[in-house]
Amino acid sequence: MTVDIGGAAAALQAADDVLILTHRRPDGDTTGCAGALCRGLRQLGKTAYILPNAEVTKRYAPMITECYPPKDFSPQYIITTDIAEEKLFTDNAEEYKGRVDLVIDHHRSNIGYGRQNLIQTGAGGCAEVVYDVLAALGVRLTQDIAGCVYVGLSTDTGCFKFSNTTAHSHEVAAACLAAGIDGGEINRALFETKSRPRFEMERILFDTMEFLHSGRIALAVLRRADIDRTGADMDDLDSIASLTRQIEGVQVGLTLTENKDGTTKLSVRTTKEVDASAICRKFGGGGHLRAAGATLGAELTTAQAREAVIRAAEEVYEQSGI
């Protein structure tokens, strides 16, 4: 069942003993949304926790780790934030498949797997949606809550540079700034400060990037050997896929990352003329028009994955009619 902001707020007003789920390889939006929502519900006097996510990195951990539940907590109401589909659930969330009470999301590919579904595809980030729900609930925008919302919104809009940024995105950001957060410092930490492993991985990415289809498609492969040698972790690789699209003339940026389990992560970034999610859907993935992802199985070598991804990207590019 689809609900609007008011409907979601009404459902949350009646709920208690809440558990909030975040997705695999958590980014700033899923963790920021969960952190803001959990703190907002607690402000209303409700019992609310966030399911532990073993993959959360040091950059986003502070928003959710202090909200982890005690061992004896028995949730009665399950919420997901920024999770487009159940296959993105963490391993410890498997028991909640088919049991989600409220889905809060902004992905076009979300078919609505919850009992109630608040999916606003026009939002720049899921954090915008969570902000509106909290406002409808009458939650006071404290610095802690505003910080979580701002991180979610800033990361999903690329520091408000991506085409998914809306007027409402800026309105929500303004409200967070008015609540007392240091937006400049947050953005510096998220987008300017680089670890040495991140610097090394960017150098490798640019050194090995291929240009295909008359320079319209750029492809980078991040090898597991290089990731391990540089000591790069998930924080260091966060948003690195966007670099492929920064080259003049490139309309489709493809980044393949070799995972430890032998699978290959595909990240696609495109200009407004090409649908990134259409490329990823060919491999069972999805996402947004300009940013999407998928995982290719371990049965494919990196070379085979590369060829399959190039074919898919060229097919979608040709269909775009550019």
Side-chain angles (χ1 to χ4, degrees):
M1 174 177 144
T2 300
V3 295
D4 58 12
I5 296 293
L12 290 174
Q13 194 67 258
D16 206 351
D17 295 322
V18 174
L19 185 65
I20 304 167
L21 313 185
T22 55
H23 60 64
R24 291 180 181 274
R25 301 187 183 95
D27 58 8
D29 202 19
T30 192
T31 52
C33 287
L37 186 59
C38 185
R39 289 168 174 81
L41 292 174
R42 288 179 175 184
Q43 188 184 116
L44 298 176
K46 297 182 180 298
T47 300
Y49 294 102
I50 300 171
L51 184 71
N53 191 323
E55 294 182 303
V56 71
T57 62
K58 59 182 180 293
R59 177 176 299 182
Y60 303 126
M63 294 188 292
I64 67 170
T65 53
E66 68 177 52
C67 296
Y68 286 176
K71 290 183 178 179
D72 61 350
F73 176 62
S74 179
Q76 302 301 310
Y77 192 88
I78 311 300
I79 306 172
T80 64
T81 55
D82 193 50
I83 305 181
E85 51 190 324
E86 288 183 313
K87 74 177 184 180
L88 295 175
F89 282 17
T90 54
D91 290 343
N92 61 339
E94 287 290 316
E95 64 180 293
Y96 301 113
K97 287 183 176 179
R99 294 177 52 194
V100 176
D101 294 288
L102 178 63
V103 171
I104 303 178
D105 193 21
H106 69 135
H107 291 93
R108 290 193 314 145
S109 56
N110 196 320
I111 61 172
Y113 54 85
R115 189 171 59 84
Q116 292 185 307
N117 302 277
L118 174 61
I119 304 169
Q120 298 204 333
T121 58
C126 187
E128 280 185 43
V129 188
V130 168
Y131 170 86
D132 287 342
V133 171
L134 292 176
L137 282 167
V139 169
R140 181 172 57 88
L141 191 63
T142 63
Q143 262 188 280
D144 281 350
I145 295 174
C148 292
V149 170
Y150 191 87
V151 168
L153 185 55
S154 185
T155 52
D156 241 36
T157 60
C159 200
F160 308 96
K161 298 193 305 289
F162 296 164
S163 60
N164 61 321
T165 308
T166 67
H168 188 49
S169 305
H170 288 291
E171 291 168 358
V172 173
C176 292
L177 293 172
I181 66 161
D182 188 339
E185 181 59 26
I186 290 174
N187 287 324
R188 185 196 65 78
L190 291 174
F191 300 102
E192 293 182 8
T193 304
K194 296 178 184 178
S195 66
R196 182 62 180 268
R198 169 63 180 230
F199 170 79
E200 293 293 337
M201 290 307 301
E202 286 191 12
R203 180 180 61 79
I204 292 167
L205 182 145
F206 283 122
D207 283 349
T208 60
M209 193 182 302
E210 302 176 70
F211 296 94
L212 312 161
H213 214 85
S214 301
R216 299 293 189 267
I217 298 174
L219 171 70
V221 179
L222 301 181
R223 304 280 179 179
R224 174 50 47 184
D226 289 325
I227 296 171
D228 292 341
R229 176 176 55 80
T230 61
D233 60 18
M234 288 181 63
D235 260 341
D236 299 316
L237 299 179
D238 186 43
S239 75
I240 200 168
S242 64
L243 298 179
T244 54
R245 195 181 52 181
Q246 293 181 0
I247 311 302
E248 184 177 7
V250 172
Q251 292 176 301
V252 180
L254 309 169
T255 304
L256 293 172
T257 304
E258 295 180 344
N259 294 323
K260 289 182 178 179
D261 61 2
T263 61
T264 304
K265 177 185 175 183
L266 167 64
S267 300
V268 181
R269 303 292 184 267
T270 63
T271 59
K272 62 182 180 180
E273 294 85 2
V274 185
D275 184 350
S277 64
I279 298 172
C280 292
R281 282 198 298 270
K282 293 179 179 292
F283 304 101
H288 303 294
L289 281 170
R290 310 295 165 244
T295 300
L296 285 72
E299 70 277 4
L300 296 179
T301 65
T302 301
Q304 291 170 329
R306 173 187 173 278
E307 292 302 317
V309 166
I310 290 173
R311 286 195 301 270
E314 289 183 330
E315 181 180 334
V316 172
Y317 179 85
E318 293 294 339
Q319 291 173 348
S320 69
I322 300 174

